[in-house]
């Protein structure tokens, strides 16, 4: 039996175990997906211990994505993002990857039918999620405008992302005028029914992805639907980052319908 897992703190409410175990069942893979909560001081020992025990792969979540980047050999994208969310133990040495970027891109392309190549895209947020999304969209060929409450963080991030620009939130209406893609990569909308984007700046030519998945229907997505935009909820981004990790670990196509079903069932049960 193969073992996969998630390393973070806390990980008790993670949606990844049911999502990945549904994939193993569908593809007839003898594997389990378990959660680990090492203390910060034990992180390096935990990753080395997982390798020594024959664990096949690990996902990494808050607050360890940046630190794991320094513990394993990383691919170019994870190096640019500065964070690892997937470790593959299948090769000669553990390798670190970031599937959050491709997760956002696939959610927009597959669920939102967005064409990123040459598109004007706006990413709201310049934290860890914002970094991954901005790099993901730029890799897909989009010109990315990053808007953040703390403008300096957006400007700093933009300097690392090809053909990106950094801004404060005040200029969002101007940035959105010609844009066809909008992603909320802030935590706004999670705690309260709030949105970082003024409703009257939204329009019908936008595909809008909200990385927030609890609640699934955020105020931003409601406003976007009212404006006639195409909406993509945060569970799709979560699903596709998981699908990318599954494909990296197993070399097989992810059964996205089964994974989506497991994910949404758990989200409904948690409500
Ligand atoms: P994560 O890794 O999940 O992105 P983070 O690094 O703490 O978490 O970043 C949170 C993001 O949400 C940041 O872009 C943050 O803006 P600041 O850089 O100005 O802090 C944004 N954010 C959080 N609360 C916000 C709020 N009430 N209004 C606007 N942006 C907010």
């Amino acid at each position: 039996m193969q073992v996969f897992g998630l390393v973070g703190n806390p990980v008790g409410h993670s949606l990844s175990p049911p999502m990945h175990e549904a994939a193993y069942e569908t593809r007839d893979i003898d594997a389990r997906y378990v959660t680990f909560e090492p203390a910060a001081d034990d992180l390096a020992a935990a990753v080395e211990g997982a390798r020594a025990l024959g664990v096949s792969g690990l996902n990494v979540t808050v607050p360890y994505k940046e630190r794991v980047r320094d513990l394993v050999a990383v691919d170019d994208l994870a190096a640019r993002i500065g964070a690892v969310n997937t470790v593959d133990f299948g090769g000669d040495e553990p390798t670190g990857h970031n599937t959050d970027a491709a997760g956002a891109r696939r959610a927009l392309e597959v669920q939102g039918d967005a064409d990123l190549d040459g598109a004007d895209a706006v990413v709201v947020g310049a934290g860890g999620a914002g970094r991954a999304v901005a790099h993901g969209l730029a890799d897909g060929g989009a010109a990315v405008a990053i808007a953040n409450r703390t403008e300096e963080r957006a400007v700093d991030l933009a300097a690392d992302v090809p053909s990106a620009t950094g801004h404060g939130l005040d200029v969002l209406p101007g940035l959105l005028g010609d844009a066809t893609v909008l992603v909320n990569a802030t935590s706004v909308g999670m705690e309260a029914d709030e949105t970082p984007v003024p409703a009257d700046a939204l329009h019908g030519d936008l595909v809008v992805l909200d990385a927030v998945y609890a609640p699934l229907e955020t105020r931003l997505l409601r406003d976007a639907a009212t404006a006639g935009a195409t909406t993509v909820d945060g569970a799709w981004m979560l699903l596709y980052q998981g699908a990318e990790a599954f494909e990296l670990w197993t070399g097989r196509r992810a059964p996205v319908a089964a994974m989506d079903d497991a994910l949404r069932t758990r989200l409904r049960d948690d409500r």
Side-chain angles (χ1 to χ4, degrees):
M1 185 186 70
Q2 283 183 282
V3 175
F4 297 90
L6 172 67
V7 173
N9 203 344
V11 289
H13 290 287
S14 171
L15 301 160
S16 291
M19 175 170 73
H20 281 279
E21 293 200 340
Y24 307 147
E25 198 178 325
T26 306
R27 289 285 180 259
D28 212 10
I29 296 170
D30 184 19
R32 292 297 308 273
Y33 187 103
V34 292
T35 58
F36 301 105
E37 247 175 46
D41 286 350
D42 291 330
L43 184 63
V47 172
E48 175 53 22
R51 187 201 62 77
L53 290 170
V55 168
S56 299
L58 288 176
N59 282 135
V60 184
T61 189
V62 179
Y64 295 142
K65 288 185 190 187
E66 286 80 14
R67 284 192 48 208
V68 168
R69 183 223 175 288
D70 297 324
L71 298 176
V72 294
V74 295
D75 69 9
D76 172 63
L77 179 62
R80 280 188 285 132
I81 295 170
V84 163
N85 84 323
T86 304
V87 178
D88 182 11
F89 292 104
D92 292 339
E93 60 170 342
T95 53
H97 311 266
N98 190 306
T99 69
D100 291 328
R105 200 164 66 229
R106 256 171 97 171
L108 285 162
E109 289 174 342
V110 180
Q111 297 306 321
D113 205 19
D115 183 5
L116 291 173
D117 196 16
D120 282 329
V122 176
V123 175
V124 186
R131 280 195 83 79
V133 171
H135 278 281
L137 302 198
D139 279 9
V144 183
I146 303 158
N148 195 51
R149 177 176 62 180
T150 310
E151 184 174 353
E152 195 188 349
R153 272 185 110 187
V155 171
D156 286 352
L157 171 54
D160 293 342
V161 178
S163 66
T165 54
H167 312 267
L169 293 179
D170 51 321
V171 296
L172 265 177
L175 296 175
L176 284 168
D178 290 328
T180 52
V181 171
L182 166 65
V183 180
N184 173 37
T186 74
S187 48
V188 180
M190 212 182 295
E191 302 276 304
D193 193 37
E194 292 170 355
T195 172
V197 183
D200 56 11
L202 300 167
H203 56 79
D205 293 332
L206 282 170
V207 180
V208 181
L209 165 65
D210 200 333
V212 171
Y213 58 82
L216 272 179
E217 200 192 61
T218 58
R219 178 150 168 208
L220 170 62
L221 293 187
R222 285 203 312 276
D223 290 346
T226 303
T230 303
T231 61
V232 181
D233 68 45
W236 290 114
M237 181 168 156
L238 192 63
L239 167 73
Y240 285 113
Q241 66 75 30
E244 290 273 331
F246 175 91
E247 288 168 359
L248 209 124
W249 289 329
T250 66
R252 298 177 60 183
R253 202 166 46 81
V256 287
M259 294 172 80
D260 180 51
D261 196 37
L263 185 60
R264 284 175 198 271
T265 300
R266 173 60 70 89
L267 275 170
R268 262 194 307 275
D269 291 350
D270 282 354
R271 241 190 346 224

